[in-house]
Every structure is written in structure tokens, then in C-alpha cells.
Amino acid sequence: MERQKSMEKGLLKKSLSIQEREKKFPNEDVFLETGLSRKSPREVIKKAQEDDGECRVTASVFLSTFVAVSGSFCTGCGVGFSSGAQSGITKDLSLSVAEYSMFGSILTLGGLIGALFSGKVADVLGRKRTMLFCEAFCVTGWLAVALAQDALWLDCGRLLLGIGVGLFSYVIPVYIAEIAPKHVRGSFVFANQLMQNCGIALFFIIGNFVPWRLLAIVGFVPCVLHVFCLFFIPESPRWLAKKGRDKDCRTALQCLRGPDVDISREANTIRDTIEMSEVHGETRMAELFQRRYAYPLLIGVGLMFLQQLSGSSGVTYYASSLFQKGGFPSAVGTSVIATLMVPKAMLGTIIVDKLGRRTLLMASCAGMGLSALLLSVSYGFQSFGILPALTPIFTCIGVLGHIVTFALGMGGLPWIIMAEIFPMNVKVSAGTLVTVTNWLFGWIVTYTFNFMLEWNASGMFFVFSMVSAFSIVFVYFLVPETKGRSLEEIQALLSNYVQ
């Protein structure tokens, strides 16, 4: 009964707000029946195709995307730190394998905590202010790591850094997806992965030469620069529209599309879609598990689950340990990875809107599966003393192949798809659940990785290869192609599918 009264009150409020908008903008296509849009999903698709096709990529979109993904660079620095600093920290602070595993994995535990609140924080504060909020955690975390004198302070700093990174992992792809034109949205959101790889590559290289405390200070600098740059980009027009701030929405959209572009049709389409998605009101987490949300939820949660159970985080976090176990020089191995990371991420950014999401995802899973299988064979030969000369070579190829193919698809595409498939009324709860899934299983993998590596490295990588094989099947049968579609088209199509 209370829920029904709340819905009725919301409908009345929406009706009044639309009437007010009609007075302000008499030329707009506003529908007043029950305060909701009369448009069907099919009509929204048609209108979105007409409206978004003319959008061009402006300097403002480029700048806003670059500033947003600078947060991903900070994330990459945090991820790459544990591999480059491992030998220095364990020596200086006398950490055991268990203690260093806790330090390495606590970033993902912090990410899990940040992910729990990511959707709500981004919805309340807005996309831009949430990124500022993230940097407060990151800056404090880096300083705590740099000044740490024992494992406790080290872990506290890493945990704070993880909370900031967990918030970033949700808000950055969502912000970019909401500002970018549809024909470049995939590439622009994939730049999130590109900048993250730039951060990892930087720390993999300089981690071989720079003491770990100085390395933490290096991670602190881009966080401060990011805070400064965030003041020069607009807020997401879709978030502003959701909050009923039509004038601010139009101002932000005009800034992004250019001063000489008529943005009224795109603004109307955004408004119509938000009104359609809010027919049932803001969806709470308990109400998320309904039939109409089952398909996008299965896609989002499934991709994040498979991404982490493929062993991706463990391979990246502890690459130097894998090289050492296989008898390959870790300094050489991490330097080669760093050299390849940026070019292959750039390749992914270029081809994601040409080949499509599905093709890249399946190709990435195939490459990761074969690389994990090669590592399984390599460590299996080592345990039985077979072909010892080939173990370092197989280890190098397997680690490089796994990291490279992961970054080409499974690294960034699940985040792109997550930002595309959920309507505004479930983006908070669904996005939070998807992000929590990623960080929860990421923490499990990164914490247990070193223990499994010592116990049975061959068996661990065989399991990872089987997960990647299953991922190909999952993508082939369940994941739709979202390339070249506007957010409004995608959500209307998913709505049609469920109906």
C-alpha cells in the first residue's frame, strides 16, 4: 500500500514537472497523459537513430573523456604497484608470503567496499563529484603507503586506495557512456582500459629501478593533477535529466555537442527514455531480481564473474612471481609486458567500434584460455622435470599472452557493456551489484593466488583455461551486440526482448 501511494505521488509530481517544462519549452514534444511518455520502445529506438546519427565528436567530448580516464591511470598505478614493489617491501618490512598476499589483495577488498556504495554515491553526488570523492581516498592511501613503517599502515593505505579505485571502476565508464556519441562510445569507454594499462606499464618499468616508497609518491602525483582537471569538465547530461535539472542538462549537452548544434531532439530523447524507465520508480536492490531485469543482470554479473575467475587479476598483480617461478628474469618479463601494454590497449580502443563487442570478447577469451593452458603445461613440465629448458620460454609466452589478450577484450568490454545495458532507474542498484561481483571475486582470486601458485600452479591455470572456454560459450549465446546503438536504443531493445 505504501509503495502504491509512493508511485501515485511520483506520477503526480512527474506530471506537474512535465507541464512546467512545456511552459518553458513550448516547441518540445512533451506528452501529458499520466505524466509519462507515450512513446513505445520501438518509437524511442527510431527517434534515437535519427537524433544520434548526426552527433559529432567535439573537443569538449575529447577533453571530458581524457580527464575522466585519468582516474583509470591512477587505478593502473595502484594495480601495477604490487608487482614492482614486491621484493622491496618484503625485504624492508620483513613480510611473509601471507602478509604480502594480504597487502596485494587488499586493494581488491577496498574495491569491494567502494563498489558497495559506488552506484548510490554516483547517483547522489553526480558523476563528476564522485570522481573527486574517489581521489580523496586515493591521495590519502598513497601517502599512507609511502610513509608506512609496518604491515598495518601499509594495508590501511592500500585499503583506502582500493576504495577509491572501486568507486572509479563504476563511475568512469558510466560517465563516458553517458556523454559520448554512439558511434565512438565503445572506443571512448575502452580508453578507460588504455589509461589503466598506461599506469600499469609505467609502474612495471620504473618499479625495477625506483624504491617502493618513491614509487608510492609517483602514484600520488597523477591523483592530485586529476583533481585539478575535474573542475573543467561538464556533468553528465543524463544524470542531470534524471534529477529533473532540465536547464543544466541542456547546458551540459550543448557544451559537449558544440555551440552551433541543435540539441533539443537529443535532449527530448534522453528525457523520454528516463521517463519510460521511471514508470516503476527507482528500483531498490531487493526489487532488482524481477523478470524484466533478468536478462541485462545476467549479462552484467556473468561477464564480471567470468572476468575474474579467468585469473586476470592474479596474473597482473603477481606477474613477477610467475616469471620467477618459471625461471624467467622478472625484470625482463615485466619490462616486456610494460612495452606491450600500451600498444595493445590502443589497438583495442581502435577496433572495439569496428569489430564489435561480441567478436572482441570471444577472441579475448580464446587467447586467455590458450595462454592459461600453456602456463598449465609449463608448470606441469617443471614439476615433473620434463623439458626444463622450455619452461622459462613457455612461462614468458603464457604470461604475456594472458595479459595482452585480457586487455584486448575482457579487461575493458564488461565495463562498457555494464554502462550500456541498464536503464537509469536500475543503474544504481544493478551497477552496484555488477561492480561488487567484480571486486568480490577479484579479491578471492588475488588473495588465494600465491597460495595456489605454491600448491599446484599447473592445476590452477588449467582451471583458468576452462573458465575462459566457458566464457566463449556464454558470450556467444547470451551477450548482445551493442556496437553502433545509442543507450536509449539498447535499453529499449532489451525491454522488447524481455516482453
Side-chain angles (χ1 to χ4, degrees), residues 285-361:
M285 187 66 74
E287 301 168 336
L288 185 60
F289 300 96
Q290 301 176 35
R291 183 175 176 271
R292 63 178 177 271
Y293 304 128
Y295 184 42
L297 201 61
L298 176 64
I299 296 167
V301 171
L303 284 175
M304 294 303 184
F305 176 80
L306 294 170
Q307 183 201 68
Q308 291 300 338
L309 260 64
S310 67
S312 54
S313 294
V315 174
T316 305
Y317 279 46
Y318 305 113
S320 58
S321 296
L322 293 175
F323 286 127
Q324 288 170 7
K325 184 172 181 62
F328 192 87
S330 60
V332 175
T334 53
S335 297
V336 173
I337 291 173
T339 304
L340 293 175
M341 267 193 161
V342 177
K344 48 87 176 171
M346 289 179 68
L347 177 63
T349 305
I350 294 169
I351 65 177
V352 65
D353 278 317
K354 298 183 184 297
L355 295 183
R357 286 34 160 179
R358 283 166 49 84
T359 303
L360 264 184
L361 277 172

Side-chain angles (χ1 to χ4, degrees), residues 27-257:
N27 296 325
E28 288 185 7
D29 184 17
V30 179
F31 300 94
L32 300 177
E33 290 184 8
T34 72
L36 296 171
S37 173
R38 281 195 309 232
K39 289 183 172 17
S40 66
R42 187 171 296 177
E43 289 174 309
V44 171
I45 293 172
K46 184 178 179 182
K47 187 175 180 183
Q49 288 172 338
E50 293 171 354
D51 294 347
D52 208 38
E54 300 174 356
C55 288
R56 67 174 189 264
V57 182
T58 62
S60 179
V61 173
F62 268 115
L63 175 64
S64 300
T65 302
F66 177 76
V67 171
V69 297
S70 296
S72 301
F73 180 83
C74 301
T75 299
C77 294
V79 171
F81 180 81
S82 59
S83 179
Q86 183 168 357
S87 58
I89 290 177
T90 51
K91 181 180 177 181
D92 291 352
L93 300 182
S94 302
L95 300 185
S96 64
V97 173
E99 287 174 325
Y100 194 78
S101 291
M102 175 56 74
F103 169 73
S105 66
I106 208 168
L107 179 79
T108 51
L109 184 60
L112 173 60
I113 296 170
L116 284 170
F117 306 101
S118 58
K120 193 64 178 177
V121 171
D123 188 57
V124 172
L125 296 182
R127 315 318 189 200
K128 193 169 80 165
R129 282 185 290 183
T130 298
M131 287 187 268
L132 285 168
F133 186 61
C134 294
E135 289 296 9
F137 288 100
C138 292
V139 166
T140 308
W142 279 121
L143 287 176
V145 170
L147 301 174
Q149 298 299 320
D150 53 34
L152 178 61
W153 274 102
L154 204 64
D155 290 345
C156 287
R158 185 83 167 165
L159 183 69
L160 289 171
L161 182 60
I163 293 172
V165 167
L167 290 164
F168 267 140
S169 65
Y170 172 83
V171 72
I172 292 175
V174 166
Y175 174 77
I176 299 171
E178 289 178 351
I179 68 168
K182 68 179 182 181
H183 62 285
V184 294
R185 187 179 61 247
S187 297
F188 276 41
V189 179
F190 205 90
N192 177 39
Q193 183 71 16
L194 170 62
M195 291 298 286
Q196 185 172 325
N197 279 294
C198 289
I200 296 172
L202 175 67
F203 271 51
F204 272 14
I205 292 175
I206 65 176
N208 294 319
F209 313 104
V210 174
W212 64 273
R213 293 188 189 277
L214 182 57
L215 198 62
I217 296 299
V218 173
F220 168 82
V221 174
C223 296
V224 176
L225 294 176
H226 188 219
V227 170
F228 175 74
C229 293
L230 282 169
F231 290 100
F232 297 95
I233 64 173
E235 181 55 86
S236 161
R238 285 174 171 84
W239 179 81
L240 292 168
K242 183 188 175 185
K243 295 300 179 182
R245 296 166 57 181
D246 291 337
K247 185 176 180 181
D248 292 336
C249 169
R250 288 170 169 275
T251 302
L253 202 57
Q254 194 76 67
C255 174
L256 290 165
R257 300 293 179 250

